[in-house]
Amino acid sequence: MKTKQPMFSKNQHVSFIGGMGKILNCQIDSGMWAYAVEMEMGPPPESGRVGPETTILLYETEIQDVMHL
């Protein structure tokens, strides 16, 4: 069985439930493409930031749209 090419590419800006972000990389996981997505930072909270941006793992089906900047 041949694996299809990923739908999204590195550095592409995408949206998903819960936010927006930039794809850092992708890899095949159990026959599905999984993407490491660095979430965009919102406005700083009153207490300040604890660390850098958050990176989450999403599957292709969880990414809704490509953002055209």
Side-chain angles (χ1 to χ4, degrees):
M1 181 172 141
K2 186 175 180 180
T3 305
K4 67 179 183 113
Q5 294 295 312
M7 187 179 299
F8 305 104
S9 58
K10 187 174 181 177
N11 295 319
Q12 202 166 21
H13 290 267
V14 295
S15 66
F16 49 91
I17 292 177
M20 298 176 282
K22 179 175 73 171
I23 294 178
L24 297 178
N25 59 42
C26 66
Q27 65 183 34
I28 198 80
D29 179 28
S30 300
M32 296 174 54
W33 284 104
Y35 298 84
V37 178
E38 182 179 69
M39 293 180 69
E40 291 185 357
M41 294 176 65
E46 290 180 22
S47 60
R49 297 212 189 277
V50 174
E53 298 83 358
T54 300
T55 300
I56 58 173
L57 184 66
L58 297 172
Y59 288 98
E60 239 173 33
T61 55
E62 298 172 304
I63 298 173
Q64 297 174 335
D65 196 14
V66 173
M67 297 173 51
H68 300 283
L69 302 177

